[in-house]
Amino acid sequence: METGLREKIEFALDTIRPYLEADGGNVRIVELTDDFVLKIEMTGNCGSCPMSSMTLKAGVEEAIKRAIPEITRVEAVNLTLA
């Protein structure tokens, strides 16, 4: 992943990190695929919280796509979404 794109992603994640950290969680970039799917890991309490799938879609993915429209989807590698 190019450095400029990684910085944009980290900046977007930084906008929601305070909310995740307030609940004892966080998020970590795993990879960005060639077809612009961002893979992340929900860490801390976010990795086991029953609301993590909603946090992923309504919080993390929304912030990322707003900041970097070329990203098509955000997936958490450690969550099983129903």
Side-chain angles (χ1 to χ4, degrees):
M1 174 183 338
E2 68 179 67
T3 304
L5 192 53
R6 180 180 260 295
E7 287 174 358
K8 281 183 175 179
I9 294 168
E10 288 289 355
F11 183 80
L13 291 174
D14 284 346
T15 66
I16 59 161
R17 275 198 171 103
Y19 305 105
L20 300 174
E21 290 169 346
D23 289 328
N26 210 326
V27 62
R28 180 181 72 83
I29 297 171
V30 175
E31 75 170 307
L32 180 63
T33 67
D34 291 339
D35 54 346
F36 288 93
V37 174
L38 179 65
K39 297 193 178 202
I40 60 165
E41 179 182 13
M42 303 291 280
T43 61
N45 287 341
C46 289
S48 59
C49 174
M51 298 302 289
S52 288
S53 61
M54 192 164 86
T55 301
L56 172 66
K57 290 295 172 192
V60 177
E61 186 172 65
E62 187 67 29
I64 293 292
K65 289 172 111 178
R66 187 171 41 244
I68 309 114
E70 54 269 45
I71 291 182
T72 58
R73 193 169 71 245
V74 178
E75 295 178 355
V77 298
N78 61 327
L79 297 182
T80 304
L81 301 180

